[in-house]
Amino acid sequence: MDKNAKRAAQREFDSVCAALTERGWDYDKDKENYSLGFLSDGKEMRFSITVKINPELKVVSVYVILPFLAPKDKEGQLAVALALINDEVVHGNFEYDGAAERVIFRASTSYLDSSLDKDVYFYLIAAAFSTADSAAATIKAMCDSAASPEQVLAAVTR
């Protein structure tokens, strides 16, 4: 990775950290990997949230990990449900990680040839968190065989 990419990533990472610190948020930093993480309580469950800077792509991403297992025997139903939900999402998307049996929501934006304003960081975090929180209970119900993909979509698009 070239020096300019590293410098830009470090500047963006420092800016994200400063914005969160300014608002009094507690978080864990991983300076080496340009990432930070924290927990946040949703309506029905607690989420792990990670903000990561990708120096090669010049992107800031927010990842919200849904706090339950997404079993392999639900992989097909989950793929359909997440594709239908993603069609309704304005910014970001749900992803299924079959190896870890988990569902993640990701929202990203680029800082190529720019520096992001702190409001952009809070927008990304809020958009990712609120979208994940609104769908998590219904996705969990589907993973627990208590809801169909159609019910998941209906709950999310109300």
Side-chain angles (χ1 to χ4, degrees), residues 88-124:
E88 300 293 323
V89 174
V90 174
H91 191 159
N93 60 284
F94 284 95
E95 301 170 0
Y96 172 65
D97 178 349
E101 294 186 353
R102 65 182 181 178
V103 175
I104 300 166
F105 186 83
R106 177 181 50 88
S108 302
T109 196
S110 176
Y111 61 89
L112 179 66
D113 296 329
S114 65
S115 235
L116 299 177
D117 184 82
K118 64 183 170 185
D119 290 337
V120 174
Y121 307 132
F122 291 115
Y123 165 77
L124 282 175

Side-chain angles (χ1 to χ4, degrees), residues 77-78 81-82 84-85 134-135 137-143 147-158:
Q77 288 182 346
L78 207 47
L82 295 180
L84 293 171
I85 293 169
S134 70
T138 311
I139 293 171
K140 183 178 184 330
M142 193 191 80
C143 289
S148 69
E150 293 80 12
Q151 290 169 311
V152 172
L153 180 63
V156 172
T157 59
R158 280 186 221 169

Side-chain angles (χ1 to χ4, degrees), residues 9-10 14-15 17 21 26 28 56 73 106 110 112 126 135-137 141-142 151 154:
Q10 188 62 54
D14 291 344
S15 185
C17 291
T21 299
D26 290 325
D28 296 319
E56 287 84 20
D73 67 333
R106 177 181 50 88
S110 176
L112 179 66
M142 193 191 80
Q151 290 169 311

Side-chain angles (χ1 to χ4, degrees), residues 18-27:
L20 297 182
T21 299
E22 182 180 300
R23 288 212 180 161
W25 290 21
D26 290 325
Y27 57 91

Side-chain angles (χ1 to χ4, degrees), residues 9 23 47 53 57 68 76 79 83 86 91-92 95 97 122 125 128 133 149:
R23 288 212 180 161
F47 298 92
I53 312 299
L57 298 176
F68 51 83
N86 284 338
H91 191 159
E95 301 170 0
D97 178 349
F122 291 115
I125 292 167
D133 190 35

